[in-house]
Amino acid sequence: MEIVQLKDVSKCFDDGLKGKRRVLKGVDLTLKRGEFVSVMGVSGAGKSTLLNIMGLVCEMDEGEYWLNGERMSLKNGHVLELRNRCIGFVFQDCRLLPHLTAWQNVLLPVLASRKDVDADSEAWAAELMLMTGVDAVKDQLPETLSGGEKTRVALCRALVMHPDLLLADEPTGQLDEDAAKKIGDLLQLLNEKVGTTIVVVTHDYRLASVAERCYRLEDGKLKVEK
């Protein structure tokens, strides 16, 4: 079953000289449920822009975006609810709240959707932290965690709502080689065990090669790498 369809998606930005720079030029992409794909490309190629469109953070100028058979737009009245329920994010800088413990950070999306954290959500959060190897640091603040631990906590937070789609923007960009490999292996494991559809953008070919399909974003279009 198709979970994501991008049809002829284009996006422009001001170039600072009273002109426009077209970053995406008619991007087409179809993903089936449970697929794991990566997108590579040079800095400025539009990888993060593509991810932000898929994550309902940025509106496309032209084209169509379909998620679970529903046409997506920031003009949708329930876009915030859709984003929290259907889409999980992992950012390069993790964006953990510094005054909350790892456990509290993981449960943030649950609190954003309802007043209280139920037993099922707590059990799933605990299982995710055990699966990703950060259960031992659940009571620690982000400042006490290593880069790899922060990324794994961010992964747990992104998955706690059972999203249909996980979007990861350069998740290993600030990690050393060993930690980056572990995150790549973990993404592959989570894809297999949890079944979440994953799209990761990266400069790291080793991380990109873990995915089932690898694309390169070049001259505003997606080209198949493998």
Side-chain angles (χ1 to χ4, degrees):
M1 178 181 176
E2 293 173 349
I3 182 173
V4 168
Q5 282 186 295
L6 299 178
K7 300 179 180 179
D8 202 25
V9 170
S10 296
K11 181 66 180 178
C12 295
F13 291 102
D14 293 335
D15 64 3
L17 301 172
K18 297 183 179 181
K20 296 285 186 180
R21 183 170 68 93
R22 200 175 182 199
V23 177
L24 303 179
K25 305 174 182 178
V27 169
D28 294 309
L29 178 65
T30 298
L31 301 179
K32 293 182 179 179
R33 190 172 298 278
E35 279 198 284
F36 180 4
V37 304
S38 60
V39 179
M40 300 188 71
V42 299
S43 296
K47 303 186 302 299
S48 292
T49 298
L50 178 62
L51 218 62
N52 285 336
I53 288 173
M54 296 176 71
L56 300 174
V57 175
C58 174
E59 186 72 276
M60 68 197 107
D61 293 328
E62 300 173 3
E64 299 176 10
Y65 171 28
W66 295 79
L67 178 63
N68 284 328
E70 181 179 355
R71 188 166 180 175
M72 296 289 104
S73 170
L74 295 187
K75 298 174 184 177
N76 288 357
H78 60 306
V79 65
L80 292 177
E81 186 271 335
L82 268 172
R83 188 188 300 154
N84 192 52
R85 175 171 53 85
C86 299
I87 303 169
F89 293 90
V90 180
F91 302 97
Q92 181 174 348
D93 57 3
C94 298
R95 302 188 187 180
L96 302 179
L97 294 188
H99 60 286
L100 298 181
T101 65
W103 174 252
Q104 292 168 328
N105 267 284
V106 169
L107 289 171
L108 271 177
V110 180
L111 289 171
S113 66
R114 58 182 79 110
K115 291 183 179 180
D116 299 310
V117 177
D118 58 9
D120 287 343
S121 296
E122 286 194 341
W124 177 231
E127 184 177 344
L128 283 170
M129 295 189 83
L130 181 63
M131 194 186 310
T132 56
V134 288
D135 53 308
V137 299
K138 61 182 291 187
D139 296 321
Q140 294 181 214
L141 294 174
E143 65 179 10
T144 69
L145 304 179
S146 68
E149 287 170 337
K150 289 178 184 177
T151 301
R152 283 179 274 160
V153 169
L155 272 170
C156 293
R157 182 182 61 188
L159 291 168
V160 75
M161 290 291 290
H162 301 276
D164 298 309
L165 181 64
L166 175 66
L167 304 173
D169 192 357
E170 297 285 359
T172 62
Q174 299 184 29
L175 304 181
D176 60 35
E177 184 177 341
D178 182 57
K181 183 181 183 306
K182 289 179 180 177
I183 293 300
D185 292 341
L186 179 57
L187 282 169
Q188 189 174 35
L189 175 67
L190 290 170
N191 175 246
E192 293 171 355
K193 292 191 71 172
V194 181
T196 306
T197 306
I198 298 177
V199 180
V200 57
V201 301
T202 181
H203 287 95
D204 186 347
Y205 184 78
R206 289 165 300 184
L207 174 58
S209 65
V210 172
E212 300 169 62
R213 282 193 285 156
C214 181
Y215 293 90
R216 179 168 294 277
L217 187 57
E218 191 174 281
D219 193 29
K221 292 184 176 292
L222 283 178
K223 302 177 181 179
V224 178
E225 282 279 293
K226 75 167 187 176

